[in-house]
Amino acid sequence: MKTKVLKISDVESDCSAILEAARLIRDGEVVAFPTETVYGLGANALDASAVHKIFEAKGRPSDNPLIVHISKRRDVDRLVRELPPAASTLMERFWPGPLTMIFRKSHLIPDAVTAGLDTVAIRMPRHPVALKFIECSGVPIAAPSANRSGHTSPTMAQHVLYDLDGRIPLILDGGRCEVGLESTVLDMTAEVPTILRPGGITYEMLKEILGEVRVDAGTLKPIEGRPVKSPGMKYTHYAPHAQVLVVRGELDKMVARINAMAEEYAKGGMKVGILATQETKDYYKEGKVLVLGSRTQLAVMASNLFWALRQFDDMGVDIVLAEWIETRNEGLAIMNRMLRAAAFRVIDA
Ligand code: AMP
Ligand code: MG
């Protein structure tokens, strides 16, 4: 299969590309499209055989459910059995945007989408291309991130092409994703709304509105030997080809330890990458240094994480030494992804 890439600079003037994508969706095909979080690989959420094609193209385990994307608030009503009152408040405040909510599903949602669960994850993205594409398709779009399963999520069309070239018919190229990390997944069926995956809508933002929010115990820890609420979190994830090690401690100690380790690895003939911050970048002596951003701008750092991991792959780095980031606000999502990329290998400085 030849994979076509269509660039969209303006939703109105490039509408023929979006109509082509919508036609593919109605024909039961898959299409990669930009959202503000990461690129998604979409199919008609009401058509089980179209949804199977997503799992096939990604090599995704079939027990990992998908998020259903909608373009209008009212689309949610027929997809769920009940809407807790707090959900309406959250939709008003955060939709369209990077918040996915989990509800009890209606009979319209096939088991292929939810991996057999009785619940469904729903989100309204805010990227104009995503909204127009969903609207023109005329159906809800089931979509996980548009990467090969286990690899880093794509934040640019070229990342999607690298992973899925020849496996899908079309990629809509809407430029670089603004948030750069997947949506926050919030379980609205729990007694107290629970964050199963942290993202751009932070614990602090949700708490301000809901009063009480929980964070799933597996957010910064490996999930072992206990039931998993969000199946996606149990897989090794977001991994670049290089091995990733996270170093934790006070800033100066962290830098000293990373410098010492970098020197050791370089001596052993390894190509070293350092995932640094604006505050520390000038103190590194060895290796390829990439800067996520300033520690005072966590959202910017979040938006650069997947991009940086893919950059290290392009540079042919063997090992990435990454600084621990404090876990408040967007820092929680950064460390959730970074720890999974590192398979939870953390060294105290
Ligand atoms: P992706 O879109 O690739 O980022 O993956 C979707 C994420 O949403 C995965 O981590 C899933 O486990 C999670 N998810 C989707 N549907 C559900 C659901 N019904 N219950 C819990 N987690 C879900
Ligand atoms: Mg994913």
Side-chain angles (χ1 to χ4, degrees), residues 38-39 58 60 64 144-154 182 197 232 237-238:
V38 300
Y39 274 76
K58 279 186 59 112
R60 185 178 174 101
N64 193 359
S145 50
N147 49 282
R148 288 300 287 267
S149 203
H151 199 194
T152 310
S153 298
E182 303 86 346
R197 176 177 74 184
H237 243 67
Y238 319 115

Side-chain angles (χ1 to χ4, degrees), residues 30-34 39-42 133 146 160 164 168 170-173:
V30 296
V31 173
F33 64 102
Y39 274 76
L41 181 63
F133 162 62
V160 182
L164 298 176
I168 60 173
L170 179 63
I171 300 170
L172 293 178
D173 179 356

Side-chain angles (χ1 to χ4, degrees), residues 60 64-67 102 117 119 121 143-145 182 197 229-232:
R60 185 178 174 101
N64 193 359
L66 309 178
I67 293 171
I102 293 179
L117 294 173
T119 53
S145 50
E182 303 86 346
R197 176 177 74 184
K229 280 292 251 170
S230 182

Side-chain angles (χ1 to χ4, degrees), residues 1 24-31 41-44 47-60 66 112 142 144 164 167-169:
M1 182 188 300
L24 281 165
I25 292 296
R26 283 195 298 274
D27 288 345
E29 273 304 330
V30 296
V31 173
L41 181 63
N44 179 355
D47 175 352
S49 70
V51 168
H52 281 301
K53 290 186 186 170
I54 296 176
F55 287 89
E56 227 170 274
K58 279 186 59 112
R60 185 178 174 101
L66 309 178
L164 298 176
R167 303 176 72 87
I168 60 173

Side-chain angles (χ1 to χ4, degrees), residues 1-325:
M1 182 188 300
K2 177 108 188 72
T3 302
K4 199 158 144 181
V5 182
L6 294 176
K7 186 144 188 63
I8 301 181
S9 319
D10 178 82
V11 173
E12 296 310 323
S13 56
D14 296 321
C15 81
S16 68
I18 293 180
L19 290 176
E20 185 172 336
R23 241 188 335 266
L24 281 165
I25 292 296
R26 283 195 298 274
D27 288 345
E29 273 304 330
V30 296
V31 173
F33 64 102
T35 80
E36 75 279 17
T37 59
V38 300
Y39 274 76
L41 181 63
N44 179 355
L46 307 180
D47 175 352
S49 70
V51 168
H52 281 301
K53 290 186 186 170
I54 296 176
F55 287 89
E56 227 170 274
K58 279 186 59 112
R60 185 178 174 101
S62 59
D63 66 349
N64 193 359
L66 309 178
I67 293 171
V68 175
H69 295 72
I70 58 174
S71 63
K72 288 179 203 69
R73 156 68 186 82
R74 65 170 182 273
D75 294 345
V76 83
D77 297 334
R78 66 187 186 128
L79 305 177
V80 305
R81 286 210 301 280
E82 59 189 25
L83 271 186
S88 309
T89 317
L90 292 175
M91 285 172 194
E92 248 162 62
R93 175 70 181 78
F94 297 116
W95 277 10
L99 176 67
T100 297
M101 282 186 269
I102 293 179
F103 304 110
R104 303 207 183 285
K105 81 177 181 83
S106 80
H107 66 280
L108 283 180
I109 304 283
D111 280 346
V113 171
T114 64
L117 294 173
D118 187 38
T119 53
V120 61
I122 304 184
R123 170 166 112 84
M124 189 199 295
R126 69 162 175 247
H127 195 296
V129 173
L131 285 171
K132 193 80 184 169
F133 162 62
I134 300 165
E135 189 190 339
C136 291
S137 298
V139 288
I141 301 285
S145 50
N147 49 282
R148 288 300 287 267
S149 203
H151 199 194
T152 310
S153 298
T155 54
M156 295 169 77
Q158 74 198 58
H159 298 161
V160 182
L161 195 64
Y162 178 90
D163 275 23
L164 298 176
D165 193 14
R167 303 176 72 87
I168 60 173
L170 179 63
I171 300 170
L172 293 178
D173 179 356
R176 190 161 160 183
C177 302
E178 165 208 342
V179 177
L181 290 183
E182 303 86 346
S183 58
T184 302
V185 176
L186 184 67
D187 184 359
M188 295 302 289
T189 69
E191 200 182 316
V192 175
T194 303
I195 297 175
L196 301 182
R197 176 177 74 184
I201 303 300
T202 63
Y203 167 80
E204 288 82 352
M205 293 171 183
L206 292 169
K207 189 164 163 56
E208 199 184 313
I209 294 201
L210 295 171
E212 201 184 356
V213 192
R214 289 197 183 134
V215 179
D216 188 75
T219 303
L220 298 176
K221 287 202 299 259
I223 296 168
E224 276 162 2
R226 63 184 188 87
V228 186
K229 280 292 251 170
S230 182
M233 286 284 110
K234 75 182 179 208
Y235 294 105
T236 324
H237 243 67
Y238 319 115
H241 300 305
Q243 198 186 37
V244 181
L245 286 177
V246 179
V247 179
R248 176 173 51 195
E250 287 164 31
L251 221 51
D252 50 345
K253 286 193 184 137
M254 212 157 52
V255 170
R257 186 69 194 264
I258 290 178
N259 266 328
M261 289 169 70
E263 200 183 317
E264 276 302 304
Y265 283 118
K267 255 193 226 153
M270 286 171 93
K271 197 165 178 185
V272 181
I274 295 175
L275 201 48
T277 51
Q278 197 61 37
E279 288 77 7
T280 55
K281 69 173 178 14
D282 295 332
Y283 298 100
Y284 292 114
K285 304 182 178 81
E286 192 84 52
K288 301 269 178 200
V289 179
L290 288 181
V291 179
L292 282 184
S294 164
R295 287 175 173 268
T296 60
Q297 291 184 303
L298 291 165
V300 174
M301 293 184 64
S303 74
N304 287 325
L305 177 64
F306 288 152
W307 164 83
L309 292 177
R310 283 194 182 245
Q311 281 286 108
F312 282 131
D313 276 350
D314 289 347
M315 294 172 182
V317 159
D318 302 303
I319 185 147
V320 174
L321 304 173
E323 295 176 9
W324 183 277
I325 307 298

